[in-house]
Amino acid sequence: MKLSTYARSLGISYRTALRWFKSGKIAGFQADTGTIIVMEPGAAVTPTAVHHKTAIYTRVSAAENKDKLEEQVKRLLDYCAAKGYPIATVVKEIGSGVNDTRPKLMKLLSDPTIGLIVVEHKDRLTRFGYNYLEQLLAMQGRKIEVINLAEDGKEDLVQDFTSVVASFCARLYGQRNAKRKAERIIAELQHGEESHHPSQA
């Protein structure tokens, strides 16, 4: 039954019933329309019943890697088709894996109707804090599925590393000089790596 109907049957206000629902005292789920449905006594509320949508999330660090974004989408669509997962949405995002304010990812994580988020590598979701995201979603009966547990390639790693260095440089030297100093540090690191690994004649 609807939460409003449930509240009337108990003689309580809708606001009180909503508070009980949010605190977990009332078993139920929120439908796609936003309507809150209260489960009948004794009915089990499972993650499948509450969160039935599957989303694909793909990411690259820079616009020049957009072709690789489409390749990720194709591989994930093929994987989900083989698994029999009905796809509700495909999210494509361009941004650093260390950026914790990516709007499309934030929208996906805050959508309670998405029960399963499928990604190719952990790093596509985030460079840091993956286990925190996994645990927080699990507490909501939601799940992340990583289709390739092998280490991701280095295609975006330098760009993500540059973002980290630029962030620290901005704090140390100010925003105006951050980019130039970050580029200088990256160049020095790359030069040092080349000097340690000379090319074979």
Side-chain angles (χ1 to χ4, degrees), residues 12-172:
I12 61 175
S13 69
Y14 180 81
R15 183 176 294 181
T16 298
L18 181 61
R19 187 172 68 250
W20 288 359
F21 170 74
K22 289 181 177 180
S23 67
K25 292 181 179 179
I26 298 175
F29 64 95
Q30 190 164 22
D32 296 346
T33 58
T35 302
I36 296 173
I37 306 299
V38 176
M39 304 294 288
E40 295 296 329
V45 183
T46 65
T48 303
V50 178
H51 310 294
H52 56 280
K53 290 184 179 179
T54 298
I56 283 174
Y57 180 80
T58 62
R59 179 193 65 80
V60 291
S61 289
E64 55 262 32
N65 295 329
K66 201 169 182 179
D67 289 345
K68 297 185 183 298
L69 194 63
E70 298 303 326
E71 291 171 6
Q72 280 184 57
V73 171
K74 185 180 184 307
R75 287 191 292 269
L76 288 167
L77 285 173
D78 289 344
Y79 173 86
C80 290
K83 285 279 193 174
Y85 296 158
I87 305 302
T89 184
V90 175
V91 179
K92 306 174 189 177
E93 193 153 45
I94 297 174
S96 171
V98 299
N99 182 351
D100 60 0
T101 58
R102 280 172 276 149
K104 292 183 180 180
L105 177 59
M106 296 298 287
K107 183 178 179 181
L108 188 63
L109 292 174
S110 62
D111 185 348
T113 69
I114 299 296
L116 178 64
I117 301 173
V118 184
V119 296
E120 187 168 30
H121 293 273
K122 291 180 179 180
D123 289 349
R124 296 304 91 199
L125 198 64
T126 180
R127 287 287 181 190
F128 305 110
Y130 173 86
N131 289 338
Y132 294 122
L133 289 180
E134 186 177 46
Q135 183 62 37
L136 287 170
L137 289 174
M139 290 171 65
Q140 302 172 14
R142 303 165 68 192
K143 181 182 176 183
I144 304 168
E145 189 163 326
V146 181
I147 74 170
N148 190 340
L149 295 176
E151 290 294 325
D152 200 356
K154 295 182 179 180
E155 59 188 32
D156 286 347
L157 192 56
V158 172
Q159 290 163 323
D160 286 342
F161 183 60
T162 302
S163 297
V164 174
V165 175
S167 176
F168 280 101
C169 285
R171 294 183 183 184
L172 291 171

Side-chain angles (χ1 to χ4, degrees), residues 2 64 176:
K2 292 182 179 180
E64 55 262 32
R176 187 172 61 179

